[in-house]
Amino acid sequence: MQPLAEVTAELLETDRTAGARRAAPAALRAVASVGRPALRDTSAAERAALTELLQVCAWILFDAERHRISRRLSHWALALGRTLPEGAPSVELLVLSVLCLQEEHLGRPATSLRISSSVLAGRDLPARVAAVFHVREARARARLGQGRRALRSLATARELLADGPSQRDPSWTWWFDRSELDGHHGLALADLGDPDTAAALLHEATAAGDAPAYRSLFSAELACLLARAGAWRETDAWLSGLVESVPEIGSVRALGALARTARTIERGTRVPRALRDTASYLTAALRTQAGPAHPAFRRIRRP
């Protein structure tokens, strides 16, 4: 049997380069293959390796919109992590950061806020970890309409990130950079009703070169934001560049955002014919990518 650490590394590389759509089947196979071993039959090192694998699979399945099993794996990882010896490397905070994001994504910002606030309260967190949870807090507060507090959390996160990496930052914070912050800042401002600044930040977030595959979400959300604002010319210009890339997009969340964009255009008034054509091409491209493994595509597949 392949060592769990190797399986985890392969899943991470597939997710980073090709996205959750390609990584999800392997993640499901990996979870099925390990079963649920009795704790008495495993060493601390084996439990640590399994905890990391569960966390990675939970993230992948979240981005693949497989939320029920993703949440189960996250909670299993948390429970297993608590059995590790004191001082052992822990992915608890990484798991909680994904759960925060997932709850907000599923329309439960109050739950997301409870998680992020509990992490931030009374803990001596490394700067970059604290920045992650301030961003999670900001996204939840923005969804709840708490504008001033959301902006304060974002400002704190930006200050913490500006200090640069430190030796206390865990290795898993590698993905949290300025582009990540700009993207979430933009999404928070979109929820708070500032589409112009939100669009500028999302555009900045899409400019990173060698970004993880999931960040296609920011490009898709920018298209969705422009369409909701009725900025038809800008929507067409941005969307035209995305249509051809649909088969390569690995984030199911991103494809879902593009599907919402197409529906917004279809229902819009005074939409230029060229943009309606672009939306039709987009819907057709999305339909070719739809599969039974991805519930997010159900509306796309309907005639």
Side-chain angles (χ1 to χ4, degrees):
M1 182 177 178
Q2 188 179 15
L4 294 184
E6 290 184 9
V7 176
T8 301
E10 289 176 3
L11 287 171
L12 281 170
E13 182 62 14
T14 302
D15 178 62
R16 186 186 70 80
T17 58
R21 259 202 310 160
R22 279 81 182 184
L28 291 169
R29 288 195 299 271
V31 172
S33 69
V34 298
R36 191 142 193 163
L39 293 182
R40 65 177 179 275
D41 297 331
T42 58
S43 66
E46 290 170 328
R47 294 199 302 277
L50 178 55
T51 302
E52 187 175 5
L53 174 64
L54 293 172
Q55 182 278 315
V56 168
C57 291
W59 157 259
I60 289 169
L61 294 168
F62 157 64
D63 197 32
E65 300 275 18
R66 302 291 297 272
H67 296 292
R68 184 176 297 178
I69 187 169
S70 172
R71 293 181 82 254
R72 284 207 308 267
L73 295 178
S74 287
H75 287 289
W76 182 10
L78 288 174
L80 195 58
R82 295 185 185 112
T83 72
L84 298 176
E86 187 175 351
S90 173
V91 294
E92 177 189 4
L93 293 175
L94 180 53
V95 174
L96 291 174
S97 77
V98 174
L99 283 172
C100 279
L101 190 62
Q102 187 169 36
E103 292 297 321
E104 188 273 331
H105 177 67
L106 293 174
R108 298 191 285 259
T111 303
S112 177
L113 182 59
R114 281 197 296 273
I115 298 170
S116 58
S117 297
S118 68
V119 171
L120 289 168
R123 296 204 195 193
D124 180 24
L125 298 172
R128 193 153 296 212
V129 174
V132 169
F133 282 95
H134 278 293
V135 167
R136 298 290 186 259
E137 185 177 63
R139 291 289 309 277
R141 290 194 186 283
R143 288 286 293 272
L144 292 167
Q146 300 175 10
R148 289 185 180 178
R149 300 178 78 176
L151 293 176
R152 196 155 56 235
S153 294
L154 287 165
T156 301
R158 203 166 284 279
E159 289 172 7
L160 289 166
L161 189 62
D163 290 339
S166 75
Q167 292 184 343
R168 293 187 64 213
D169 294 331
S171 60
W172 59 258
T173 58
W174 65 269
W175 48 269
F176 189 75
D177 56 15
R178 178 176 172 177
S179 293
E180 184 80 11
L181 178 54
D182 284 344
H184 286 287
H185 195 160
L187 292 173
L189 291 180
D191 287 332
L192 292 172
D194 184 359
D196 292 339
T197 312
L201 283 163
L202 285 169
H203 194 274
E204 285 294 317
T206 66
D210 187 25
Y214 74 84
R215 285 204 192 150
S216 57
L217 176 69
F218 295 145
S219 293
E221 289 286 4
L222 177 53
C224 199
L225 172 65
L226 293 170
R228 288 200 310 269
W232 301 133
R233 182 178 300 176
E234 293 85 351
T235 303
D236 195 24
W238 187 253
L239 205 55
S240 296
L242 287 177
V243 172
E244 298 299 324
S245 68
V246 164
E248 283 73 51
I249 292 176
S251 169
V252 181
R253 288 184 296 153
L255 293 174
L258 289 176
R260 293 196 305 274
T261 304
R263 290 195 295 272
T264 299
I265 295 167
E266 289 164 4
R267 298 166 184 167
T269 58
R270 298 182 179 179
V271 178
R273 179 172 296 181
L275 178 54
R276 288 200 182 277
D277 289 343
T278 301
S280 296
Y281 296 144
L282 173 61
T283 300
L286 290 168
R287 192 176 291 122
T288 65
Q289 303 303 311
H294 302 301
F297 291 152
R298 284 174 184 159
R299 291 184 184 178
I300 300 170
R301 295 201 302 273
R302 291 173 185 165

